[in-house]
Amino acid sequence: MKDVKNTPLNEAAGCLPPLLRIAVEQLPEKTAEQTEELRLRAGQPLAVCCAGQEVVIPDTQVTAADLRETAARASRDSMQSYTDSLRRGFLTLAGGHRVGFCGTAKTENGVFDGIRVYGSVNIRVARPAFGCAREVYEQSCRSGPADLVILSPPGYGKTTFLRDLIRCAAANGVRVGVADERGELAALREGVPQFDLGGPADVIELCAKEDAVLHLIRTMSPRVVALDEITSPRDAEAVRYAANCGVAIFATAHACGLEDFLRRAVYGPVRGLFRYAVELRMEAGKRSFELHCLEGGGSC
């Protein structure tokens, strides 16, 4: 039998039913190292996602019972303890791995209140990328923290890059406030960040960005506020509030590149606030970045 190593993938797969977990543990080493997500859909084979491409694991079949068991294992058989997360459709595992759920939604007074019947599960494998943002931090924050936005389509690593940017700032003694609305930047579990944030960082999670930013500034006096995904006018207003308080902003935004960011209406209220933009790219499964200076245009 193949020797099972304690890898991020195997750690994330720990919430799977035994037969599916064994199938993951027996993946070829190269596939295992590149796996970013585990995709479970009722009635379909188990699949892994590598560099944006799904690969089916042969001779596997996911059942509705498997999805229910995965949810129970992820919550350590205490779904009630994770009510707030489940209402948002996800759970955070030890190590920062994230389990997202889809299926038949339940609502309360017309408001989404979680998933009633599971149809699919996505387990995102948390892999730390220490140092991936160091060059950007050193170039953009030589004279102190600067307002910076990270741009890319989904799945290119914006959150991972932002997390390392937080580490760079915190490791340099900069006090960072993290508005972690979806619980992905710090991945608190019983109050303890599952991701190394590098130093003095204060986190508030599962809270709307505008409320989180206001709370952080009033209570923690950060020099930098970090927040993931500006997706709505309310998010943009949170960024504007922080900027007006003299706090530097590290943020991410969905865009196919700098030009796309500059023309999207939702970013209109905040475009002029950022001094730098980092454009993440992926070619043939390899990630790269380009740093743009927004003051005066051009690349850095």
Side-chain angles (χ1 to χ4, degrees):
M1 180 178 290
K2 180 179 177 180
D3 182 34
V4 177
K5 298 179 180 179
N6 185 22
T7 65
L9 175 60
N10 290 338
E11 184 180 51
C15 65
L16 294 177
L19 290 179
L20 296 180
R21 184 175 68 248
I22 291 171
V24 172
E25 292 171 349
Q26 298 301 313
L27 285 171
E29 185 173 356
K30 184 176 181 180
T31 301
E33 289 175 351
Q34 295 177 345
T35 296
E36 299 172 344
E37 297 176 346
L38 298 170
R39 296 273 184 168
L40 292 78
R41 300 180 179 92
Q44 298 291 325
L46 175 63
V48 298
C49 186
C50 304
Q53 301 294 319
E54 286 196 25
V55 180
V56 168
I57 300 180
D59 302 320
T60 60
Q61 184 81 355
V62 176
T63 67
D66 289 330
L67 300 182
R68 293 193 296 271
E69 183 174 348
T70 297
R73 287 172 174 268
S75 64
R76 295 185 291 186
D77 293 312
S78 181
M79 303 286 277
Q80 189 172 358
S81 299
Y82 297 92
T83 299
D84 288 341
S85 287
L86 288 168
R87 281 176 175 163
R88 294 168 181 258
F90 70 89
L91 286 171
T92 300
L93 303 177
H97 315 290
R98 183 184 180 89
V99 186
F101 304 96
C102 275
T104 303
K106 59 180 178 179
T107 60
E108 186 171 332
N109 298 322
V111 178
F112 177 76
D113 194 42
I115 300 298
R116 177 165 54 86
V117 179
Y118 302 119
S120 57
V121 172
N122 178 28
I123 303 174
R124 301 183 68 174
V125 182
R127 299 182 187 277
F130 293 102
C132 65
R134 185 178 298 119
E135 183 179 346
V136 163
Y137 183 83
E138 291 175 350
Q139 289 186 39
S140 61
C141 299
R142 285 188 293 261
S143 302
D147 299 305
L148 185 149
V149 62
I150 303 160
L151 310 173
S152 84
Y156 279 47
K158 291 188 299 297
T159 300
T160 299
F161 199 93
L162 175 59
R163 191 183 301 117
D164 197 57
L165 203 63
I166 294 169
R167 274 196 290 265
C168 290
N172 279 278
V174 176
R175 195 163 50 246
V176 183
V178 183
D180 197 4
E181 182 174 6
R182 299 176 305 154
E184 287 192 311
L185 288 168
L188 295 182
R189 191 173 176 92
E190 297 180 359
V192 179
Q194 299 300 294
F195 291 111
D196 178 5
L197 296 181
D202 301 297
V203 182
I204 181 167
E205 70 169 13
L206 305 185
C207 175
K209 293 182 185 71
E210 58 181 342
D211 296 328
V213 169
L214 178 65
H215 182 82
L216 286 166
I217 291 174
R218 285 181 172 176
T219 61
M220 295 300 173
S221 304
R223 290 184 61 199
V224 173
V225 166
L227 49 93
D228 203 12
E229 295 197 2
I230 306 168
T231 58
S232 70
R234 294 180 65 183
D235 296 345
E237 187 57 34
V239 172
R240 287 182 59 83
Y241 176 82
N244 289 336
C245 291
V247 176
I249 300 293
F250 294 166
T252 70
H254 287 302
C256 293
L258 182 58
E259 291 185 7
D260 189 28
F261 172 73
L262 294 175
R263 66 170 171 258
R264 291 201 182 195
V266 69
Y267 304 133
V270 299
R271 278 194 292 262
L273 301 179
F274 292 107
R275 185 177 179 187
Y276 296 97
V278 183
E279 186 177 345
L280 301 186
R281 297 168 178 162
M282 185 186 296
E283 296 180 5
K286 295 184 178 181
R287 293 175 171 86
S288 62
F289 69 84
E290 183 175 1
L291 179 62
H292 300 275
C293 299
L294 301 183
E295 292 181 355
S299 299
C300 300

